[in-house]
Amino acid sequence: MTKKTNKFFYFFKKYNQTFIEKKNSKKKALIIDRGIAESAIMNAGLAYILNKKYSMNISLLQSNKRNVTSKIYKMMNINNFFNINIKENLFNLRVIIPAIFIFLVSIIKILFKKKSWFIKKFKLKGIYFGDIIYDTFIRHDNDFLRESLVNKKFLKLLFISIYKILIIENIIKNNKFNCVISSTHTYASDSAFAM
C-alpha cells in the first residue's frame, strides 16, 4: 500500500463510527465489491442505512478478498462474504459444468452468427450480456477492429463472464436477498452481472 492509502486507512479507522450490526431479521442486502475504495465507502454507507433503518443483514460479494476494500468492509463490521474468485471455486460442479456447456454453445453460435449477433443478442438466463462483455473486450488494444471474436483474449473473457454470471445468480437466488448494492452497471464486472 502507498503512503497515501495508509494515511486514508488511519483516518478512516480513527473517525469511522458506522458499524454494521447483526440483526434478528430475515431481510438481507448484498454488496457487490468493485475493489475501489471510494465505491466501497459509498456501498458500506448505504448498507449502514439499510442495516439501521430497515434491519437488513449485510453480506458482501467479492472476487478478491485481499484487496484494499476488504479492510474498509472489515472496519465497518461486514464479515459475511461470498468469494467468487474462479480459482477458489473451480470445483463447484453446479456452476462449472453449465458454464462449460454454455461457453461451447456460445462459441458455435459466434462462429456462425458473427460479432453483431453476440453484441446485440447474446443473453444468459434471459438477460442480455453481450454488449457489456464486448465493451470490456474492446477497451484496450483497438480490439474493435478484429472481425472475429474467436481469439484467446475474448474467449477467456467470455468464459469468466459466463462463470461469474452463473455463480452470482446462484448466490442471489439461494440466499433470497431483498436488495443488491452495486456502484456500477457497466462493463463485464461483478457489479454489472449482479444488476
Side-chain angles (χ1 to χ4, degrees), residues 3 19 40 61 67 72 75 107 111 115-116 122 125 135 137 143 150 153 156:
K3 273 186 179 180
F19 298 101
L61 182 142
N67 64 16
I72 294 169
M75 283 182 218
I107 292 171
L111 285 169
K115 181 168 43 175
S116 63
F122 177 77
K125 304 290 182 176
D135 284 349
F137 173 65
D143 284 324
V150 182
K153 180 182 168 188
K156 180 181 176 184

Side-chain angles (χ1 to χ4, degrees), residues 45-106:
L46 177 56
Y48 174 77
I49 293 166
L50 293 173
N51 179 254
K52 294 294 176 216
K53 191 169 182 180
Y54 300 102
S55 296
M56 285 192 176
N57 288 305
I58 308 299
S59 297
L60 174 66
L61 182 142
Q62 56 189 168
S63 290
N64 181 3
K65 60 184 176 183
R66 292 174 196 87
N67 64 16
V68 173
T69 57
S70 293
K71 287 187 175 185
I72 294 169
Y73 294 119
K74 281 181 185 165
M75 283 182 218
M76 293 192 68
N77 201 33
I78 298 172
N79 298 311
N80 186 31
F81 69 91
F82 298 93
N83 182 359
I84 63 165
N85 183 295
I86 290 181
K87 289 178 185 173
E88 294 182 31
N89 290 286
L90 199 55
F91 298 105
N92 182 341
L93 298 180
R94 271 190 266 156
V95 176
I96 198 75
I97 292 170
I100 291 168
F101 177 75
I102 293 166
F103 175 71
L104 294 173
V105 169
S106 299

